[in-house]
Amino acid sequence: NCYLHAAAQGVDNDLVLIWRHPPARVVDLLSDSPLRKRVHLIPTVTDDELRDLYCAATGLLFPSFYEGFGLPILESIAFKKPVIVSDIPVFRELFADFALFSTLNNNGNLRGLVEELLQTHKSWAEKLPNSDSLDAKFSYENAAKKLDEVIRQ
């Protein structure tokens, strides 16, 4: 609904959804929309296709209520793309400095964040960390050290 509203207001961006099994209500909403040709439902992608999608993307919307880590968020940040994520504790802990946070049960909040992302996406590249600092923060070695610390406690 948020995208359909933004597109009706003149937003030129297409919406790409990588979603293996979208709910019937989403498919129905899109099939009934005059904007259906601007919404691309893709069930799976190869690594090369995913890289190309990140390179072409304006940003990432990751509306997950339950998530263990959020690898697509980290990938988007690595490609210097802004992200809007669910305002859930794991994302606050991991991505507080790198993301816009949405209360996903509030369409007005999400709509405002999408509008902000579309207006400011080019300046995000300067705000987001480079891949070296991402590697330092999210490396397997650091994860193993933290896990070891927790086990030893």
Side-chain angles (χ1 to χ4, degrees):
N1 281 334
C2 180
Y3 172 76
L4 297 177
H5 179 269
Q9 301 299 314
V11 169
D12 291 336
N13 303 66
D14 284 9
L15 178 66
V16 176
L17 300 169
I18 302 171
W19 203 346
R20 184 168 294 168
H21 303 291
R25 64 183 173 77
V26 171
V27 174
D28 292 344
L29 176 69
L30 296 175
S31 66
D32 293 340
S33 170
L35 300 169
R36 66 183 165 272
K37 292 184 181 186
R38 294 184 49 200
V39 179
H40 311 277
L41 276 171
I42 303 171
T44 60
V45 294
T46 66
D47 289 344
D48 289 340
E49 291 168 331
L50 184 60
R51 184 198 63 240
D52 293 345
L53 287 168
Y54 278 123
C55 288
T58 300
L60 174 75
L61 175 59
F62 199 77
S64 175
F65 286 106
Y66 307 101
E67 184 63 35
F69 179 75
L71 189 56
I73 300 166
L74 188 57
E75 291 171 338
S76 186
I77 292 168
F79 279 92
K80 300 280 193 181
K81 302 298 179 173
V83 295
I84 298 173
V85 299
S86 311
D87 195 356
I88 59 177
V90 66
F91 292 161
R92 282 273 177 197
E93 178 183 343
L94 294 170
F95 306 112
D97 298 330
F98 312 130
L100 297 171
F101 292 90
S102 175
T103 53
L104 296 177
N105 56 354
N106 180 335
N107 274 342
N109 170 261
L110 184 56
R111 188 176 301 130
L113 291 173
V114 167
E115 289 170 6
E116 179 181 341
L117 184 146
L118 291 171
Q119 292 170 5
T120 64
H121 69 93
K122 291 180 182 172
S123 66
W124 275 79
E126 300 161 9
K127 298 177 191 176
L128 294 173
N130 62 35
S131 59
D132 290 340
S133 59
L134 285 176
D135 289 346
K137 182 172 181 174
F138 296 106
S139 70
Y140 286 110
E141 292 82 14
N142 282 346
K145 286 178 190 175
K146 289 179 183 178
L147 179 60
D148 185 54
E149 290 170 10
V150 169
I151 292 171
R152 290 180 191 275
Q153 291 177 357

